[in-house]
Coordinates of all heavy atoms in Angstrom, one line a residue:
C1 N -14.5 123.5 -96.9 CA -15.6 123.1 -96.0 C -16.6 122.1 -96.6 O -17.0 121.1 -96.0 CB -16.4 124.4 -95.5 SG -15.4 125.5 -94.5
R2 N -16.9 122.4 -97.8 CA -17.9 121.5 -98.6 C -17.4 120.1 -98.7 O -18.3 119.1 -98.5 CB -18.0 122.1 -100.0 CG -18.8 121.2 -100.9 CD -18.6 121.7 -102.4 NE -19.2 120.7 -103.3 CZ -19.1 120.9 -104.6 NH1 -18.4 121.8 -105.2 NH2 -19.6 119.9 -105.4
H3 N -16.2 119.9 -98.8 CA -15.7 118.5 -99.1 C -15.2 117.8 -97.8 O -14.7 116.7 -97.8 CB -14.5 118.5 -100.1 CG -15.0 118.9 -101.5 ND1 -15.8 118.0 -102.2 CD2 -14.8 120.0 -102.2 CE1 -16.0 118.6 -103.4 NE2 -15.4 119.8 -103.4
N4 N -15.3 118.5 -96.6 CA -14.8 117.9 -95.4 C -15.8 118.0 -94.2 O -15.3 118.0 -93.1 CB -13.5 118.5 -95.1 CG -12.3 118.2 -96.0 OD1 -11.7 117.2 -95.8 ND2 -12.1 119.0 -97.0
T5 N -17.0 118.1 -94.5 CA -18.0 118.0 -93.5 C -17.8 118.9 -92.3 O -17.9 118.5 -91.1 CB -18.3 116.6 -93.0 OG1 -18.1 115.7 -94.1 CG2 -19.7 116.3 -92.5
V6 N -17.5 120.2 -92.5 CA -17.3 121.1 -91.4 C -18.7 121.5 -90.9 O -19.7 121.8 -91.6 CB -16.6 122.4 -91.9 CG1 -16.7 123.5 -90.9 CG2 -15.2 122.0 -92.3
R7 N -18.9 121.5 -89.6 CA -20.2 121.6 -89.0 C -20.6 123.1 -88.8 O -21.9 123.3 -88.7 CB -20.2 121.0 -87.6 CG -20.0 119.4 -87.7 CD -20.6 118.7 -86.4 NE -20.0 119.2 -85.2 CZ -19.1 118.5 -84.5 NH1 -18.6 117.4 -85.0 NH2 -18.7 119.0 -83.3
H8 N -19.7 123.9 -89.0 CA -20.1 125.4 -88.8 C -18.9 126.2 -89.4 O -17.8 126.2 -88.9 CB -20.3 125.8 -87.4 CG -21.0 127.2 -87.2 ND1 -21.1 127.8 -86.0 CD2 -21.5 128.0 -88.1 CE1 -21.8 129.0 -86.2 NE2 -22.0 129.1 -87.5
L9 N -19.3 127.1 -90.3 CA -18.3 128.1 -90.8 C -18.7 129.4 -90.4 O -19.9 129.9 -90.7 CB -18.2 128.0 -92.4 CG -17.6 129.2 -93.1 CD1 -16.1 129.2 -92.7 CD2 -17.7 129.2 -94.6
V10 N -17.9 130.1 -89.6 CA -18.1 131.5 -89.2 C -17.1 132.4 -89.9 O -15.9 132.1 -90.0 CB -17.9 131.7 -87.7 CG1 -18.1 133.1 -87.3 CG2 -18.8 130.8 -87.0
F11 N -17.6 133.4 -90.7 CA -16.7 134.3 -91.4 C -16.8 135.7 -91.1 O -17.9 136.2 -90.7 CB -16.8 134.0 -92.9 CG -18.0 134.5 -93.5 CD1 -18.1 135.8 -94.1 CD2 -19.3 133.8 -93.5 CE1 -19.2 136.3 -94.7 CE2 -20.4 134.3 -94.1 CZ -20.4 135.5 -94.7
A12 N -15.8 136.5 -91.2 CA -15.8 138.0 -91.0 C -16.3 138.7 -92.2 O -15.7 138.7 -93.3 CB -14.4 138.4 -90.7
S13 N -17.4 139.3 -92.0 CA -17.9 140.4 -92.9 C -17.5 141.7 -92.4 O -16.6 141.8 -91.6 CB -19.4 140.3 -93.3 OG -19.7 141.1 -94.3
S14 N -18.1 142.8 -92.8 CA -17.8 144.1 -92.3 C -19.0 145.1 -92.4 O -19.8 144.9 -93.3 CB -16.6 144.6 -93.2 OG -16.4 146.0 -93.0
S15 N -18.9 146.1 -91.6 CA -19.8 147.2 -91.6 C -19.7 147.9 -92.9 O -20.7 148.6 -93.4 CB -19.7 148.1 -90.5 OG -18.4 148.7 -90.5
S16 N -18.5 147.7 -93.7 CA -18.5 148.4 -94.9 C -19.5 148.0 -96.0 O -19.6 148.7 -97.0 CB -17.0 148.1 -95.4 OG -16.0 148.7 -94.7
V17 N -20.1 146.9 -95.8 CA -21.2 146.4 -96.8 C -22.3 147.4 -96.8 O -23.1 147.5 -97.8 CB -21.7 145.0 -96.5 CG1 -20.6 144.0 -96.5 CG2 -22.4 145.0 -95.2
Y18 N -22.5 148.2 -95.8 CA -23.7 149.1 -95.7 C -23.5 150.4 -96.6 O -24.5 150.9 -97.0 CB -23.9 149.5 -94.2 CG -24.5 148.4 -93.4 CD1 -23.7 147.7 -92.5 CD2 -25.9 148.1 -93.5 CE1 -24.3 146.7 -91.8 CE2 -26.4 147.1 -92.8 CZ -25.6 146.4 -91.9 OH -26.1 145.4 -91.1
G19 N -22.3 150.7 -96.9 CA -22.0 151.7 -98.0 C -22.9 152.9 -97.8 O -22.8 153.7 -96.9
L20 N -23.8 153.2 -98.8 CA -24.6 154.3 -98.9 C -25.8 154.4 -98.0 O -26.6 155.3 -98.0 CB -25.0 154.7 -100.3 CG -23.9 155.0 -101.2 CD1 -24.5 155.3 -102.7 CD2 -23.2 156.3 -100.8
N21 N -26.0 153.2 -97.2 CA -27.1 153.2 -96.4 C -27.2 154.4 -95.4 O -26.1 154.7 -94.8 CB -27.2 151.9 -95.5 CG -27.6 150.7 -96.4 OD1 -27.2 150.6 -97.6 ND2 -28.2 149.7 -95.8
V22 N -28.3 154.9 -95.2 CA -28.4 156.1 -94.3 C -29.3 155.8 -93.1 O -29.3 156.6 -92.1 CB -28.9 157.4 -95.0 CG1 -28.0 157.8 -96.1 CG2 -30.3 157.1 -95.7
K23 N -30.1 154.8 -93.1 CA -31.0 154.5 -92.0 C -30.2 154.0 -90.8 O -29.3 153.0 -91.1 CB -32.1 153.5 -92.4 CG -33.0 153.2 -91.2 CD -34.2 152.3 -91.7 CE -33.7 150.8 -91.9 NZ -33.4 150.2 -90.6
M24 N -30.3 154.6 -89.7 CA -29.5 154.2 -88.5 C -30.5 153.7 -87.4 O -31.6 154.1 -87.3 CB -28.7 155.4 -87.9 CG -27.7 155.9 -88.9 SD -26.3 154.8 -89.0 CE -25.4 155.6 -90.3
P25 N -30.0 152.7 -86.6 CA -28.8 151.9 -86.8 C -28.9 151.0 -88.0 O -29.9 150.6 -88.5 CB -28.7 151.2 -85.5 CG -30.1 150.9 -85.1 CD -30.9 152.2 -85.5
F26 N -27.7 150.5 -88.5 CA -27.6 149.6 -89.6 C -28.2 148.2 -89.1 O -27.8 147.7 -88.0 CB -26.1 149.4 -90.0 CG -25.5 150.6 -90.7 CD1 -24.2 150.8 -90.6 CD2 -26.3 151.4 -91.4 CE1 -23.6 151.9 -91.3 CE2 -25.8 152.6 -92.1 CZ -24.4 152.7 -92.0
S27 N -29.0 147.6 -89.9 CA -29.7 146.4 -89.5 C -29.4 145.4 -90.6 O -29.4 145.7 -91.9 CB -31.2 146.6 -89.3 OG -31.9 145.5 -89.2
T28 N -29.3 144.1 -90.2 CA -29.1 143.1 -91.1 C -30.4 142.8 -91.9 O -30.3 142.0 -92.9 CB -28.7 141.7 -90.4 OG1 -29.7 141.4 -89.5 CG2 -27.3 141.9 -89.8
S29 N -31.5 143.4 -91.6 CA -32.7 143.3 -92.5 C -32.8 144.3 -93.5 O -33.7 144.3 -94.3 CB -33.9 143.4 -91.4 OG -34.0 144.7 -90.9
D30 N -31.7 145.2 -93.6 CA -31.7 146.2 -94.6 C -31.0 145.7 -95.8 O -30.1 144.8 -95.7 CB -30.9 147.4 -94.1 CG -31.6 148.2 -92.9 OD1 -32.8 148.0 -92.8 OD2 -30.9 148.8 -92.1
N31 N -31.3 146.3 -97.0 CA -30.6 145.9 -98.3 C -29.2 146.6 -98.2 O -28.9 147.6 -97.6 CB -31.4 146.6 -99.4 CG -30.7 146.4 -100.7 OD1 -29.7 147.1 -101.0 ND2 -31.3 145.6 -101.5

């Protein structure tokens, strides 16, 4: 993407990143 001027990269992350988080609902403002 860097070398070919792609205008938008959308990628799949996962709810698995929240791991031990306990505050619900999971928010992208959380660590």
Side-chain angles (χ1 to χ4, degrees):
C1 291
R2 168 193 175 187
H3 292 291
N4 290 277
T5 322
V6 170
R7 298 205 299 261
H8 192 189
L9 167 62
V10 179
F11 72 94
S13 186
S14 168
S15 62
S16 294
V17 301
Y18 287 102
L20 291 179
N21 287 33
V22 294
K23 182 174 75 69
M24 297 288 174
F26 292 151
S27 170
T28 57
S29 64
D30 296 335
N31 177 285

